[in-house]
Every structure is written in C-alpha cells, then in structure tokens.
Amino acid sequence: RLQQIQIEMAQSEKRIAKIIQSSPDAIITIDRKGNIQTFSSSAERIFGYYGDETIGRNIKILMPKEIALEHDYYLERYTYGKTSTIVGNKRVVNGVRKDGSTFPLELQVEAVEMDEDEIIYIGTIRDITDRLRMEAEVNEAREQAETANAAKSAFLANMSHELRTPMNAIIGYSEMLAEDAEDDGLDEMVSDLGKITAAGKHLLSLINDILDLSKVEAGKMELFLETFDFKTVAEEVASTAKTLVEKNNNEFVVDIGEGLGAVHNDLTKTRQMLLNLISNAAKFTNDGKITLFGEKFKKGKDDWLRMAVRDTGIGIPDDKIDKIFQEFSQADDSTTRDFGGTGLGLSLTRRFAEMMGGNIHVESILGEGSSFI
C-alpha cells in the first residue's frame, strides 16, 4: 500500500511539473531566503537562462537594482507575519534578462506554507513588452485621429460663413428669377427654377447640420440664454412644421401643460431641437399622429422642462436605439436609402440638450411608434 501511494505521489508530481513547464507564463519558486528552487521552461525563455543556471541563486539576479534593494525587506515582513505589498498582489515591474536588458513584466506572488518552518513563494510572471507596445500604438493612433478630427471640426466651423453665403445667394437669385419668370408667363422655367430653389434649400439644410456639429466639436458653439414663453415657441414651431407633418397625411397635436410659464435657455437651439424631432417623426410616420408635448416638473429644488415628440410611426428595433444618436448614422442602411437624411438631426439634438444641461432619450415599440423625450 505504501509503495502504491509513493507511485501515485510521483505520478502526481510529474503531472504538476508537466503543467508548470507547459504554462506560457513563467513560474518560479523561491525559499524564504529568496533562493530559486524551480525555474520553468517559460521562465528560461523569458529571462534567457538555460538548464540549472538559476537554481540555488538569489531571485535578485532577475531584478533591477532599485527593486532588488527592496526585495529582502518585503520578504522579511511577510515571513514574520507582517503585511507585504509583494505577496498576493499583481503588479507591473521591470525584470532583467541574462544579457542585462530590462523589460516590463506582470508579476503575481503567492506564499505557500509547507510546514511551520518552511514557506515557498510562487511567482507567476508574464512578459508584457508586446502588450504595452500595442497599447502605446493604439493610444498614439487614437491621439492622431482625435487631433485630425479636431482640425477637421475647426476648419468646418471656420468655413461656416464661406459655405453658407454662396448657398443663400443661389437660393435668393433662383427665387427672384422664378418670380420674374412667373410674371413673364414662362411656366416651364418657373418649374425648373423651383427645383433649383428646393435643391438649394435641401443642400443648405445639410450644410447647416454639418457646420453646427463641427462647431459643437470644435468648442465654438455658444449658448445665447434668454427668457421665453415655451407654449408660444411650441405653437410657432408647430405652425412651421405643419406642412411637413401633413405631407404624409398625419394628424398634428400640440399638448402643452398648464402653468408651464417662462423658460430661461437658448431659444434658437430649443426651437431647432423641436423642429429636428418633428421632422424626424414626420419622415417615419404615415397616416398617423404626431404629438408635441411639454410640461414642467421638479428635479431637486429646481423646475425643469420636459419636451417630447411622439409619433405612431414605424418604431425602432431595441438593438438600433443607441445607434440613432451617432453622427452620420441611422437605424440601418435601408433607412438612409428609403427615407434620406444625413443622420445628423438626432445627434445635434442630443448635443444641444447636453449643452443646456439636459439630455435626450427615446422610448420606442417596433411597428407602434416612438417618443423622443
């Protein structure tokens, strides 16, 4: 029986040794004096030692001087029952190879009490040179991309006047020519000039969205705070958007709570947010109902304004909701193809809401409609 136990123990030790040797991480054991007892094949590969070159030597041969000087101190503290920052904590330190070169490594040390008089320290070591290099490359690439994006945003923000002015001139002159053509009875020309005007206004709308987003990103978009009556603004917006909403045979309802009163914020951006949301709802709703909603509510000690545009349109799948607030993005490619648009309206609305200390979220049921709040 004793012989059988000895055979099983030998087999178990052999299996453990094989597992240790096959580990991609270096595994090193030392005694309480810091002398190396075992040195795995991965440790040999990482540190450049071979065979028994390290067995019996102090672990400090694998450390830079500044770490080696601390090692005995921390080892002693643990040995005599005191806390140690080495044992039980994963940390990143430098190691030293046989050729004297240093490299970054991730170290985890655990202590195993074999008996009352013997403590074994097991160190698991991973060379993280490649990982740190890749992280540095990713960070550098991210910084370069952010710098390029900031330069792009600053350029477009500075080009605001130069891009808008000629488009306004094209629209203005085409409208003037259309009036002259109508007076002269040139009906065919009136129709063609109307197409130029409509295309110009559409292009100007796209340019405005892109430039507004660029201004926000470049930090050049400012708030112009003023006090205004929200109900009056909501009714003005509804009047402006009525034709757009009714284009798809939709009913338009304005529901403003009683006693909402005056709001102190950026009037232009508030109006633009509402128009963006109503335009979005009108685009995706046919033969349905669109509601512009507003109410006052308490948040802490302050009065807040909750605005919402609700529709009975196509709705948004749950897995697409986060995507719709991204720049130049819609729910999917077919949305852009079927309904058009730049995918900037909701992104700008979110940016404006955040600039004014608020936020925006959406509640939607596929096939039943959406509420942008």
Side-chain angles (χ1 to χ4, degrees), residues 212-248:
D212 282 346
L213 180 64
S214 298
K215 278 192 171 183
V216 173
E217 291 181 341
K220 295 188 176 184
M221 179 68 75
E222 298 179 355
L223 292 177
F224 298 94
L225 302 179
E226 56 186 302
T227 300
F228 57 91
D229 182 73
F230 179 75
K231 186 173 183 179
T232 301
V233 172
E235 290 172 348
E236 290 173 355
V237 169
S239 176
T240 302
K242 186 177 180 182
T243 303
L244 182 65
V245 171
E246 293 177 348
K247 181 180 178 181
N248 288 339

Side-chain angles (χ1 to χ4, degrees), residues 308-311 316 360-365 369-373:
V309 174
R310 298 168 177 165
D311 65 64
I316 308 165
I360 181 171
H361 71 279
V362 60
E363 299 170 357
S364 185
I365 300 175
S370 306
S371 293
F372 287 85
I373 304 162

Side-chain angles (χ1 to χ4, degrees), residues 170-184 186 189-190 193-194 196-197:
I170 292 170
I171 294 168
Y173 279 115
S174 64
E175 289 176 339
M176 289 171 57
L177 289 171
E179 291 176 3
D180 291 343
E182 189 174 4
D183 291 340
D184 294 338
L186 303 173
M189 190 174 290
V190 170
L193 289 169
I196 294 174
T197 302

Side-chain angles (χ1 to χ4, degrees), residues 105-165:
L105 59 84
E106 191 174 72
L107 171 65
Q108 175 84 38
V109 177
E110 299 295 341
V112 179
E113 297 185 9
M114 306 300 289
D115 53 47
E116 292 183 1
D117 298 323
E118 186 179 7
I119 297 176
I120 298 296
Y121 299 96
I122 303 173
T124 305
I125 296 161
R126 177 172 296 176
D127 184 348
I128 57 173
T129 303
D130 291 339
R131 189 183 83 189
L132 293 182
R133 188 188 70 251
M134 287 189 289
E135 288 176 357
E137 290 174 353
V138 168
N139 289 334
E140 183 180 359
R142 184 187 300 112
E143 289 174 2
Q144 290 177 350
E146 289 173 350
T147 300
N149 187 59
K152 175 267 300 178
S153 297
F155 170 75
L156 284 176
N158 291 331
M159 287 291 290
S160 173
H161 178 73
E162 286 75 7
L163 289 171
R164 285 184 170 120
T165 300

